[in-house]
Amino acid sequence: MMAKPAVAVLGIFVADLAFKAKRLPVMGETILGDGFKDGPGGKGSNQVVAAARAGADARMITRIGRDTFGAMAQKTWAAHGVNTSAVILDDSLPTGAAFIFVSTETGNNAIIVESGAAASLSPADVAAAEPVIADAKVFITQFEQPIETAMAGLRLARKHGAITILNPAPAVPVDDTIFPLCDYVTPNETEAASLTGLPVETEAQALAAARALIAKGAKNAVITLGEKGALLHGEAGTLMVPAFPVAKVVDTTGAGDAFNGGFALALAEGQSPADAVRFGCALAGLSVQKPGTAPAMPTRAEIDALLAKR
Ligand code: RIB
């Protein structure tokens, strides 16, 4: 049997506490909810689960606490065969949590995330994770842990020849010195607008933002555009990949993570950038049809069946 391609993910795990309601309460108001569910989340962990379910030798680099939410993390990774040799158990800090509002009307979400122990992930922690990064085909990180830690990870992955992906989520102010470390930068519309200062609502605007990110030093940009799909721009040219049709959107939370985990695995398999974007779009389209984040990540059989239909 061929070895699975290795994908190293630097990021956070948090427990997602998801509330369904018709709308968000205003300040000082209490409203009745339409449902609640807790489950595994955190962009890095969601991406590692997405990559693992799609077929990667997926490796997680993070910090969690020795508590109930930390146990949820370990159970989740064990269930999906994620390599946890670079997961540090923090003796003094708790595992983080996210408040997630999911609209019963649209399935769209709004999130407050507290990174907990992972907020103290350091460049030294990344250096200690060198064994899981060194032979990875792809390295991916986000911005839920400190940016200097993300940069240390990108640098180390570059040193070892991995393809580097920065999923710059959530949108935070960032120094442009990070972009030359990225083979791919994968913001959504809001993040692309925040990174470039440009409006990103149309395909043409997304292309202008992608060009701006490449001018800052990234080799390629993939702007994810929700139900419109994703725009790839870079070394291989420009391509708009339409989203897969979805009969009923249940919950969009984690769709970006599904895309990024799938995109990372596809590049690790040696798929072309265009095919990798299509593969990521398939994961995103499947994930929004189920509630939750990590629990909504599709299997490889589901992904292949959807791709075969197009
Ligand atoms: O991208 C979705 C994720 O963002 C959620 O799982 C939540 O934990 C936040 O990190």
Side-chain angles (χ1 to χ4, degrees), residues 138-238:
V138 171
F139 170 88
I140 181 165
T141 191
Q142 323 73 29
F143 283 154
E144 290 186 318
Q145 76 290 316
I147 292 175
E148 57 168 7
T149 307
M151 286 186 79
L154 291 164
R155 250 186 235 111
L156 188 58
R158 261 284 162 85
K159 180 181 128 189
H160 287 289
I163 297 170
T164 56
I165 306 174
L166 172 65
N167 173 223
V172 288
V174 62
D175 193 283
D176 283 354
T177 52
I178 198 165
F179 296 108
L181 299 171
C182 306
D183 291 312
Y184 293 88
V185 58
T186 61
N188 67 16
E189 304 97 314
T190 319
E191 293 145 8
S194 149
L195 292 171
T196 62
L198 299 169
V200 184
E201 279 154 27
T202 65
E203 241 177 85
Q205 290 172 336
L207 179 56
R211 287 199 172 110
L213 291 168
I214 288 169
K216 287 174 188 283
K219 277 197 192 152
N220 302 275
V222 180
I223 316 281
T224 56
L225 299 164
E227 69 276 6
K228 292 198 208 76
L231 178 112
L232 165 69
H233 179 67
E235 293 168 313
T238 306

Side-chain angles (χ1 to χ4, degrees), residues 2-63:
M2 290 249 296
K4 292 177 172 182
V7 174
V9 183
L10 167 67
I12 75 163
F13 171 91
V14 296
D16 281 351
L17 310 175
F19 296 79
K20 274 193 145 185
K22 288 182 187 58
R23 62 176 177 85
L24 275 165
V26 296
M27 200 54 77
E29 183 189 27
T30 302
I31 61 170
L32 294 177
D34 291 310
F36 170 80
K37 182 105 185 70
D38 64 349
K43 294 184 194 302
S45 180
N46 294 340
Q47 292 174 16
V48 91
V49 169
R53 282 177 70 83
D57 163 3
R59 301 149 178 204
M60 186 70 194
I61 304 159
T62 196
R63 264 180 188 273

Side-chain angles (χ1 to χ4, degrees), residues 12-17 39-44 46-47 97-100 109 111-115 144 167 169-170 252-258 292-294:
I12 75 163
F13 171 91
V14 296
D16 281 351
L17 310 175
K43 294 184 194 302
N46 294 340
Q47 292 174 16
F99 159 81
I100 302 184
N109 65 83
I111 302 178
I112 301 173
V113 61
E114 160 51 48
S115 300
E144 290 186 318
N167 173 223
T252 60
T253 325
D257 301 329
T293 54

Side-chain angles (χ1 to χ4, degrees), residues 270-289:
Q271 295 192 38
S272 70
D275 285 343
V277 172
R278 273 184 213 108
F279 195 90
C281 285
L283 270 87
L286 289 162
S287 76
V288 301
Q289 300 180 50

Side-chain angles (χ1 to χ4, degrees), residues 58-75:
R59 301 149 178 204
M60 186 70 194
I61 304 159
T62 196
R63 264 180 188 273
I64 53 173
R66 294 180 187 273
D67 48 24
T68 313
F69 291 163
M72 183 196 281
Q74 287 179 307
K75 195 171 156 201

